[in-house]
Amino acid sequence: YQLHWPDDVPVEETWEAMAGLVDEGLVRHIGASNFDRALIERCQGIRHVDSLQPHFSMLHLANRDLIRWCGEQGIGVVTYGSLAFGLLTGAIDMDTRFDPQDWRGRPGSGAYRRFFAPGKRERSLAVTDGLRPVADRVGVTVSGVALAWAFHQPGVTSAIAGSRDPRHVRENAAAGDVELDRAMLEELEEILRRGPEFDEGT
C-alpha cells in the first residue's frame, strides 16, 4: 500500500496511520511514491519504508542516487515511467502526433517540457536510436534494452512498463532475462549523454 504523493499533512502523521494498517493486518507492506530522501528518513524513524516508486528511466536520471541509497537501506524500488512514456519503445518518432487528450502533446505539462517539446524530443529519440544496435546484438526490442538497463541499476527491484497487448507484455517480460555486461553498460552510459537531461543548462 503506497502513498502516491507528498501533501500538506505532516508525513509523520500519515506514516503512523500507514504503519497502523500493517499492525492491524490490513496490509502487508507500505511504501511511498515520489518521496525524496528527507521524507523517507522521516518515515523510517517511525517504521521501515518497504518500497519507493520513483520516476526513473534512461531519459530521467534525477532519482539515480536516491534509488541507490534505497537499495542500501533495504527499500524495494519500483520505477515508473521506465519507458519514458513511450519514447523508449521505438514506436514514437518526430512525426508522431498525439490525441488532444493525451498529455504527451500538451505544452503545459511537465513531461512535455522535459521530453517532448521541440529540441527535447530530438534528444530523447537520439537515445532511442542509440539503443537499436544494442537491441539487435542481444536479441530483444528497444524497450527490452531500456528495461534491462533499469533492472541493472543499483537499488532497482522492478520496473513498471505499460503494455497495450499481449505481445508487448511478452516482450517486456523478456527484458528480465537480459544480461548486460560491463562493456554494454558503459556503452549505454555514453548513449545516455545524448538525452534531454544533458541539454546545456539542464
Side-chain angles (χ1 to χ4, degrees), residues 8-186:
D8 294 332
V9 178
V11 72
E12 290 81 4
E13 180 179 333
T14 304
W15 198 246
E16 284 177 2
M18 294 283 283
L21 296 176
V22 178
D23 292 342
E24 293 174 36
L26 296 174
V27 299
R28 291 183 181 178
H29 305 285
I30 53 175
S33 180
N34 302 301
F35 274 34
D36 60 18
R37 178 170 170 171
L39 279 175
I40 293 170
E41 288 179 329
R42 287 166 64 184
C43 293
Q44 292 274 78
I46 297 167
R47 185 198 177 276
H48 180 67
V49 176
D50 296 316
S51 66
L52 175 70
Q53 185 176 313
H55 182 190
F56 184 63
S57 76
M58 299 183 92
L59 298 182
H60 184 69
L61 304 170
N63 289 315
R64 201 177 215 179
D65 289 341
L66 173 62
I67 291 168
R68 184 181 294 109
W69 175 81
C70 284
E72 295 167 355
Q73 303 302 310
I75 299 171
V77 173
V78 183
T79 65
Y80 75 85
S82 310
L83 294 176
F85 313 109
L87 283 164
L88 292 172
T89 65
I92 293 174
D93 59 27
M94 289 303 299
D95 296 323
T96 300
R97 295 293 175 263
F98 298 103
D99 183 275
Q101 300 303 311
D102 191 324
W103 55 264
R104 293 177 295 179
R106 293 181 193 161
S109 75
Y112 175 86
R113 293 192 303 272
R114 185 177 293 128
F115 306 119
F116 294 92
K120 296 290 187 176
R121 191 188 294 199
E122 290 89 339
R123 292 188 66 104
S124 296
L125 294 177
V127 172
T128 303
D129 289 341
L131 299 183
R132 295 181 195 280
V134 180
D136 290 342
R137 291 205 308 272
V138 298
V140 296
T141 61
V142 169
S143 58
V145 172
L147 290 172
W149 173 88
F151 300 149
H152 281 73
Q153 300 309 297
V156 172
T157 51
S158 60
I160 297 171
S163 299
R164 293 184 179 271
D165 59 48
R167 177 177 60 85
H168 289 157
V169 174
R170 287 191 295 271
E171 290 173 351
N172 291 339
D177 296 324
V178 174
E179 290 293 332
L180 301 174
D181 61 27
R182 179 175 294 182
M184 281 187 175
L185 289 169
E186 290 174 356

Side-chain angles (χ1 to χ4, degrees), residues 119-120 123 193-202:
K120 296 290 187 176
R123 292 188 66 104
R193 299 195 65 81
R194 306 174 193 174
E197 290 207 342
F198 289 92
D199 276 342
E200 186 177 348
T202 60

